[in-house]
Structure formats: structure tokens, C-alpha cells
Amino acid sequence: MVGLVFFSCEQDTKKKLEGTWTMIEIPSKGYEENWEFTDSKIIITHTNPGDTAVPFKSGTYSIKNSTVTTDGDGMGSSGVEYYRGNFEIRSLDGTELILLRKDIGLQYYEFEKKQ
């Protein structure tokens, strides 16, 4: 019964996470970074002002114990893995997503749901 409860919570979290999230960055990097979560894939795009979105990273993700784990060759970075790894969900509702990552130093990611 306990396994069913965890599976149900993870499915609820996945449903809330699905969609496109715009990263809030201060100061701005000069481009918009969006993280799109589908049923099992993640696609990260960068969009310069006046341009169309350019795919930057893509891979798969899973959710377990309030942690989003991203993986796949397309999520890799040279040097430190900024996009591939474990991101703790600190807050997730209909409009706000906050992720925290501790394995490469403390990394804080704040997003708002794109309409």
C-alpha cells in the first residue's frame, strides 16, 4: 500500500510539472531559458529577444522522493554537469517551480509557468 501512495504522489507531481517553465534570472543573461517537461522528456531552449526558441539541451527525466533526475547524452555539459543530475523540488504549484541542487555547490533555480 505504501508503494501505491508514493507512486500516486509522484504521478501528481509529474502532472504539475508538465508544461513549459521560464527560468527567472537576476541579472538577466540577455536570453530567455525555458525548461519544457513532457511525459518523460525535458527540453531546454534559449530564446534571444526577437528570435525563435533554439533547443539547447534535451534528455529524459524521472521523479522520485520530490527529486527530479535529468539524464541523457543531450543534457551533458563540458566540465560541470549543470543540466544533468538531481534537482530537489522545493516548491511546485500551478505557477511557480523552485529547484535546488547541492552536488555542484548550492544551485537555486526559480521558474514561472509559461502560459
Side-chain angles (χ1 to χ4, degrees), residues 56-88:
F56 177 64
K57 299 284 181 188
S58 64
T60 59
Y61 78 95
S62 60
I63 299 171
K64 186 173 183 179
N65 299 329
S66 296
T67 299
V68 175
T69 301
T70 61
D71 199 10
D73 291 340
M75 294 298 286
S77 300
S78 58
V80 177
E81 293 285 356
Y82 286 106
Y83 295 98
R84 183 170 39 197
N86 298 317
F87 299 83
E88 178 186 337

Side-chain angles (χ1 to χ4, degrees), residues 7-18:
F7 179 75
S8 177
C9 289
E10 289 168 7
Q11 288 299 98
D12 290 345
T13 301
K14 186 175 251 190
K15 281 291 184 202
K16 286 181 185 176
L17 191 60
E18 286 181 358

Side-chain angles (χ1 to χ4, degrees), residues 1-10:
M1 183 68 160
V2 172
L4 183 61
V5 171
F6 285 126
F7 179 75
S8 177
C9 289
E10 289 168 7

Side-chain angles (χ1 to χ4, degrees), residues 99-110:
L99 300 175
L100 190 64
R101 187 162 176 193
K102 300 175 188 173
D103 61 336
I104 57 172
L106 186 61
Q107 299 289 314
Y108 177 87
Y109 303 84
E110 187 172 355

